[in-house]
Amino acid sequence: MDFCDMHGHYAWGIDDGMPSKQDCEKALTLAHSQGISTIIATPHIKPGETTKEDHLTINHRVDELKEFAKSYDIDVHHGCELMLNKYSDEAIKEGLYEPFEGTKYMLVEYDVTKPTEDFLNDFDDLLRSVLIAGYKPIIAHVERYFHEDIDLEYVQYLLDLHCVIQINTTSILGMGSRAHYKNALKLLENNMVHVVATDTHRCEGTRVPNMKKAYDAILKLGYPKEYADLLMHTNPYHLLHNESVEDPDFKRGFFAKLFKH
């Protein structure tokens, strides 16, 4: 099984991702060893901070990453992670964003450091500008916006808006907060996840290419192989090909349910 990592900051020197080309080289080596054959590069774009010149620099660096990654048998595609804030509507009007290459899908995020109440109050209005512009939002690392217990009703609301729900490998592996780990497992259990990605920022530590580890963790949780395949292979490639994602409908094995998370 090869993986498509549709959220990662592999391009060096342009955001809080890879500090250097040498770090990128190590990350690509690790990505290859983890079975990642396709990456959608998603540099941060922060409306109100990212300028037109910055946008051009980001795209040029991703082009460099494309060429560099060929040596590792990895295909790289353009994208971004657009921060939704009070300036994002203007940024969308000015074209300061990058949807997934050749598609109508766009990865968006909210400030994870803000209180959950702010997310619940603000996100709906911020999301409208993306929808009105004709894009299909992919909500990055949904589990990280809820700092205690996740609000499944709100996630269902996002699903009803035809948003794509993404969670991070680090959350599945328990490398973040305990709350984010529990949130990720609840989303999996309720079939509310479309894609899993690494959100890679470094070549060492926790935020690294670790798709195979997360894939194995999903299987250890008692879910069928078809579920892991859908989240880490099938649906990410649907996004890349501008196709509709498939909604999951899987359950954990009976004996797995006997063990608490």
Side-chain angles (χ1 to χ4, degrees):
M1 173 60 61
D2 68 293
F3 303 119
C4 174
D5 189 4
M6 47 68 63
H7 179 183
H9 302 268
Y10 291 85
W12 62 95
I14 54 174
D15 62 6
D16 62 348
M18 297 299 152
S20 69
K21 191 173 183 178
Q22 290 71 30
D23 290 297
C24 176
E25 181 178 11
K26 293 177 182 178
L28 291 174
T29 300
L30 182 56
H32 180 78
S33 72
Q34 282 284 302
I36 298 171
S37 62
T38 304
I39 288 169
I40 302 177
T42 56
H44 289 289
I45 290 184
K46 297 182 179 180
E49 296 181 25
T50 304
T51 66
K52 291 182 179 179
E53 292 74 18
D54 293 335
H55 189 204
L56 290 173
T57 299
I58 287 169
N59 283 341
H60 177 68
R61 180 51 51 83
V62 173
D63 284 336
E64 290 182 306
L65 175 64
K66 276 191 176 192
E67 290 301 313
F68 191 46
K70 288 179 181 178
S71 300
Y72 301 86
D73 295 320
I74 296 175
D75 294 324
V76 173
H77 299 265
H78 277 273
C80 81
E81 184 176 16
L82 179 68
M83 174 68 72
L84 296 186
N85 59 26
K86 63 182 180 180
Y87 303 107
S88 53
D89 184 53
E90 182 179 350
I92 290 172
K93 290 177 181 177
E94 293 181 358
L96 293 179
Y97 59 85
E98 202 68 33
F100 283 9
E101 191 170 329
T103 80
K104 284 291 184 178
Y105 287 105
M106 185 144 63
L107 184 70
V108 300
E109 68 169 339
Y110 187 77
D111 186 346
V112 297
T113 66
K114 289 189 174 183
T116 300
E117 184 178 355
D118 288 359
F119 171 71
L120 294 173
N121 289 335
D122 298 342
F123 196 68
D124 183 47
D125 286 339
L126 295 172
L127 193 61
R128 296 287 168 176
S129 60
V130 179
L131 294 166
I132 290 170
Y135 291 99
K136 300 175 183 179
I138 306 165
I139 315 301
H141 41 62
V142 173
E143 76 281 5
R144 297 182 67 202
Y145 306 124
F146 300 89
H147 304 306
E148 294 181 9
D149 194 21
I150 197 161
D151 185 338
L152 294 179
E153 288 187 8
Y154 187 77
V155 177
Q156 184 59 55
Y157 169 73
L158 295 175
L159 289 168
D160 291 342
L161 288 176
H162 303 293
C163 295
V164 175
I165 302 299
Q166 181 252 314
I167 64 174
N168 284 357
T169 53
T170 47
S171 297
I172 295 171
L173 293 167
M175 293 177 173
S177 74
R178 177 68 179 174
H180 297 162
Y181 170 69
K182 292 173 67 177
N183 290 344
L185 296 193
K186 284 186 179 181
L187 289 167
L188 287 172
E189 190 166 2
N190 285 277
N191 287 292
M192 288 180 160
V193 182
H194 292 112
V195 284
V196 171
T198 68
D199 193 7
T200 285
H201 279 67
R202 291 289 183 269
C203 60
E204 297 177 339
T206 57
R207 303 184 75 179
V208 300
N210 51 16
M211 291 285 271
K212 182 61 166 61
K213 290 181 179 179
Y215 182 90
D216 291 342
I218 292 172
L219 299 184
K220 288 180 181 178
L221 287 169
Y223 292 108
K225 179 179 181 296
E226 290 79 10
Y227 195 8
D229 291 349
L230 179 69
L231 300 176
M232 306 177 77
H233 174 90
T234 305
N235 271 343
Y237 281 112
H238 280 321
L239 296 174
L240 193 57
H241 297 143
N242 207 27
E243 300 167 348
S244 297
V245 293
E246 300 175 35
D247 293 325
D249 185 17
F250 296 98
K251 295 181 180 179
R252 298 173 69 203
F254 174 77
F255 291 104
K257 293 180 180 179
L258 299 178
F259 297 92
K260 294 184 178 180
H261 299 149

